[in-house]
Amino acid sequence: MDETENKTGPLVLLTGATGYVGNRLVPLLEQREVALRCLARSPDKLRPNVSASTEVVQGDVLDKTSLDAALAGVETAYYLVHLMASSTDFEENDREAAENFGAAAKQAGVKRIVYLGGLGDDTDPKLSPHLRSRHEVGEILRISGVETIEFRASVVVGAGSLSFDMIRSLTDRLPVMICPRWLATPTQPIAVDDVLAYLLAALDLPPGESRIFEIGGTDIVTYGDLIREYVRQQELHRLLISVPVLTPYLSSLWLGLVTPATAEVGRHLIEGLKNPTIVRDKTALDVFDVRPVGTGEAIRRALKSGDSHSKAERT
């Protein structure tokens, strides 16, 4: 028997269910009046983490033929795939994956794709490869002919988020921090709970054209400000020294020594830190009822989640 028969409502496909955002979206979708199906390269690893009513199917966005069965009967598909962590040639792989998914979704009659990308100015000739690739994926999904709702976010603040974990690990382990220029770039962080609220709200949008929504918290800050707020809330004593050097490549090696992120992934993330990532179009606040919190509250929630290191581990 098809496991989705246990739930009524439209069929929703979630890709990236094992990722940071997707993993947190699963239980929220399971509470909705929808039938949930998750795409996974290794279904056996995912099944223990979802409810019995959630169907798990095998598939890979880089294998177009594997997507046909996964998308059959689907009304809304969440595309939360990002191949940066699994490939040095992430731009080409992300391009191919988006093309495969968009074409398969169109063929299957999917009504809407919901995609989470990144902020950044498309007209900036110095936009990092990471952010440019995020935007390209959204464009590929739109030109597939399937209505695509793209949310563009900056730093997602939450325990387990790669960006937040970099900040936490650096601050926890380095009593004296040499702060390169990119720590002064303006950004507009958003709490992971608010990202999830936007993604869920996309289910209830009336049918229409593809749209891009820029989302962020209430504060425009810098990465240096994020570190200082973390220090303040954790009651740490840290010395931050700003310097105009330390290239992104050297920074990634530095991060690789002190954070869980690999140097390669760190390098790609840091390349994006040179670009301002702030909300310029506030349409999302008019369309959705979500009211994001500020940076201080976002960090407080992340620390309260229980995933932060104990103070005994810090010096």
Side-chain angles (χ1 to χ4, degrees), residues 102-264:
K106 177 65 175 178
Q107 183 176 344
V110 173
K111 295 181 180 179
R112 174 177 293 161
I113 296 172
V114 181
Y115 165 62
L116 178 61
L119 284 169
D121 186 354
D122 286 310
T123 65
D124 184 355
K126 296 183 179 180
L127 193 65
S128 74
H130 169 226
L131 293 176
R132 195 170 299 282
S133 176
R134 296 284 76 206
H135 294 182
E136 181 186 24
V137 167
E139 177 64 18
I140 290 171
L141 296 176
R142 284 190 292 276
I143 64 178
S144 71
V146 179
E147 177 197 338
T148 299
I149 303 300
E150 176 181 353
F151 292 104
R152 291 185 175 181
S154 181
V155 180
V156 176
V157 178
S161 160
L162 184 55
S163 297
F164 182 73
D165 277 356
M166 285 199 305
I167 292 171
R168 184 181 69 180
S169 296
L170 283 170
T171 310
D172 285 353
R173 303 179 191 187
L174 298 178
V176 178
M177 304 180 66
I178 305 299
C179 300
R181 184 180 300 170
W182 49 259
L183 283 182
T185 303
T187 184
Q188 197 160 349
I190 184 169
V192 64
D193 289 345
D194 292 328
V195 172
L196 295 171
Y198 276 118
L199 291 172
L200 285 173
L203 280 176
D204 303 320
L205 277 179
E209 298 179 348
S210 294
R211 303 182 69 176
I212 298 173
F213 293 103
E214 298 184 347
I215 59 175
T218 58
D219 305 319
I220 296 175
V221 297
T222 66
Y223 263 84
D225 293 331
L226 285 172
I227 290 173
R228 294 181 186 94
E229 178 61 20
Y230 179 88
V231 166
R232 186 189 69 80
Q233 293 198 26
Q234 293 293 83
E235 299 179 353
L236 302 173
H237 298 285
R238 296 292 182 263
L239 177 62
L240 277 63
I241 302 175
S242 298
V243 294
V245 293
L246 202 57
T247 66
Y249 175 72
L250 291 176
S251 295
S252 69
L253 297 180
W254 169 50
L255 288 172
L257 292 173
V258 297
T259 74
T262 65
E264 181 67 21

Side-chain angles (χ1 to χ4, degrees), residues 49-62:
N49 301 319
V50 302
S51 72
S53 64
T54 295
E55 181 186 10
V56 180
V57 298
Q58 197 281 330
D60 187 336
V61 289
L62 290 175

